[in-house]
Amino acid sequence: MTRTDGRAAPTTLPEGVVSLADHERHSAKWLDAAVQAYFNGGAADEITLRANIAAWQRIELLPRVMRRLEGGHTRVELLGRTLVHPMLVAPMAYQQLAHPQGEQATALAAATLGAGLVLSTQATTLLEDVARLVLPEPLRGPLWFQLYLLPDRDFMRELIHRVEAAGFEALVLTVDAPVQGARDRERRAGFRRAGEFSAVNLAGRRAPKPLPLQPGQSALFDDLLTHAPTWDDLGWLRSITHLPILLKGVVHPDDGREAVAHGAAGLIVSNHGGRTLDTMPATAALLPPMVQAVQGAVPVLVDGGIRRGTDVLKAVALGASAVLVGRPVLHGLANAGAVGVAHVLRLLRDELEIAMALSGCRTLADAPGALAPDGR
């Protein structure tokens, strides 16, 4: 098995990798500069990208001691299922850019480690192939499919029917990226997706014809954004599927309440990893107001900047039902394929258990008590 640059694809962990930060550093050996810019970069000045990590680090834990901890566990309930731990792999496109096994390696590792998997619409592996790898694993987490709402409604119906038939358990509609952010790092590096890597699950879709523009009109506002998703589109999507639909990228409390009113089954507080609108608040800051807004009507998940097990504990303490992990999975994938992804997820699971034990949390229901007063 070789990479596109002719080098043998790695399948064993590099020496000295004991943290997610180590994985990121070592992945630079395998990812060329342009692909690194695509995976690791953010929008504009990357203020939000940096803030996501820093915000979790600023939150402080205040341990309790002398508590009975035997029989503790990391289990949580989510959409009618019991998860062995509250971690899912976030949807990420074109994973074969990181490793020839791409989404197949990620799926195998996630299923084996009990992590949920959210497969990207822009995956480089057929959704049916991913489902066949994940579903037989008895301790697997949830298997969800991420969507962008496409103008070709006939294609959308067909795609969703494929998703349902393959055994996916929910849809994740990304709502925060009607256009791509201004990714300066990516453009400086000259990133261009290699032709051999395509979004195979989007084959056959019809691209909308460009609208004729009058002098002074905007190609963005008067053409592209005429297809941007609206609340009415969520109603249409619910009418053609029996699967629960979570909305990813809802950050304003009013939008959270609107999503519940329109039948969303869950919310993922996300700023797209800092890749869309720069200077947005960090997701750690956005999470508590969203939890307060929906008042338990639907589960609230969060992504962005999760790099330690302590971050997972803090997210649950602030009201998240689970977290999604993105870039670190790609780093592990680049370093050692499925073995690397499994190592990333295992590190987070181990660190979460250690953080719980040292904070006096027998289960994650105890997590709120681990936060320091005014520790944010």
Side-chain angles (χ1 to χ4, degrees), residues 47-372:
I47 294 167
T48 297
L49 174 68
R50 294 188 296 273
N52 275 346
I53 296 174
W56 295 115
Q57 294 172 337
R58 284 194 300 269
I59 298 172
E60 296 175 335
L61 296 171
L62 186 63
R64 299 294 302 275
V65 299
M66 305 291 285
R67 290 185 161 189
R68 302 191 70 90
L69 299 173
E70 69 274 15
H73 60 78
T74 59
R75 293 190 296 272
V76 294
E77 301 294 321
L78 180 63
L79 293 182
R81 288 197 53 189
T82 300
L83 282 59
V84 295
H85 58 72
M87 291 182 286
L88 296 86
V89 173
M92 293 170 288
Y94 304 117
Q95 292 184 28
Q96 286 185 5
L97 289 172
H99 193 278
Q101 293 177 334
E103 291 85 3
Q104 294 187 59
T106 299
L108 281 170
T112 303
L113 271 293
L117 177 70
V118 188
L119 184 68
S120 170
T121 296
Q122 300 178 96
T124 49
T125 304
L126 289 173
L127 63 93
E128 291 86 355
D129 291 343
V130 170
R132 279 192 288 267
L133 291 171
V134 171
L135 293 176
E137 176 57 50
L139 293 180
R140 67 175 178 85
L143 178 62
W144 299 346
F145 189 83
Q146 177 264 339
L147 287 172
Y148 289 103
L149 198 65
L150 305 174
D152 186 343
R153 293 296 178 90
D154 290 337
F155 178 84
M156 287 290 294
R157 287 190 185 91
E158 180 182 347
L159 177 62
I160 290 168
H161 290 160
R162 285 177 58 198
V163 169
E164 293 172 340
F168 285 78
E169 298 157 321
L171 299 174
V172 175
L173 180 64
T174 296
V175 296
D176 65 340
V179 297
Q180 183 172 292
R183 300 176 192 165
D184 292 356
R185 193 196 315 192
E186 198 175 303
R187 291 184 291 178
R188 290 189 193 103
F191 173 75
R192 295 290 185 274
R193 180 173 52 82
E196 65 266 34
F197 300 128
S198 63
V200 294
N201 294 301
L202 294 180
R205 72 181 178 98
R206 294 174 299 175
K209 294 181 179 179
L211 295 176
L213 297 177
Q214 302 300 316
Q217 285 190 308
S218 163
L220 183 62
F221 286 102
D222 298 307
D223 184 1
L224 181 61
L225 289 179
T226 61
H227 305 294
T230 68
W231 294 113
D232 289 341
D233 293 315
L234 175 58
W236 174 81
L237 191 59
R238 291 185 64 217
S239 75
I240 65 167
T241 183
H242 66 270
L243 295 178
I245 302 170
L246 296 90
L247 300 189
K248 179 176 181 289
V250 179
V251 295
H252 196 291
D254 288 347
D255 285 339
R257 286 183 281 265
E258 190 83 11
V260 172
H262 281 83
L267 303 175
I268 301 175
V269 174
S270 172
N271 52 33
H272 221 96
R275 291 167 63 83
T276 52
L277 179 63
D278 200 20
T279 71
M280 285 181 64
T283 50
L286 293 165
L287 174 61
M290 186 62 68
V291 171
Q292 178 65 27
V294 302
Q295 292 288 304
V298 298
V300 178
L301 293 77
V302 67
D303 70 7
I306 300 291
R307 297 294 185 273
R308 288 285 186 181
T310 47
D311 299 338
V312 181
L313 180 60
K314 294 169 188 178
V316 174
L318 293 175
S321 296
V323 305
L324 287 81
V325 183
R327 290 182 177 94
V329 168
L330 293 175
H331 301 147
L333 180 63
N335 284 329
V339 172
V341 175
H343 190 242
V344 165
L345 296 172
R346 185 73 249 182
L347 284 172
L348 283 172
R349 171 79 180 276
D350 289 348
E351 290 181 2
L352 172 60
E353 291 188 355
I354 292 168
M356 290 172 62
L358 292 176
S359 299
C361 299
R362 182 174 174 273
T363 73
L364 288 170
D366 301 323
L371 292 180

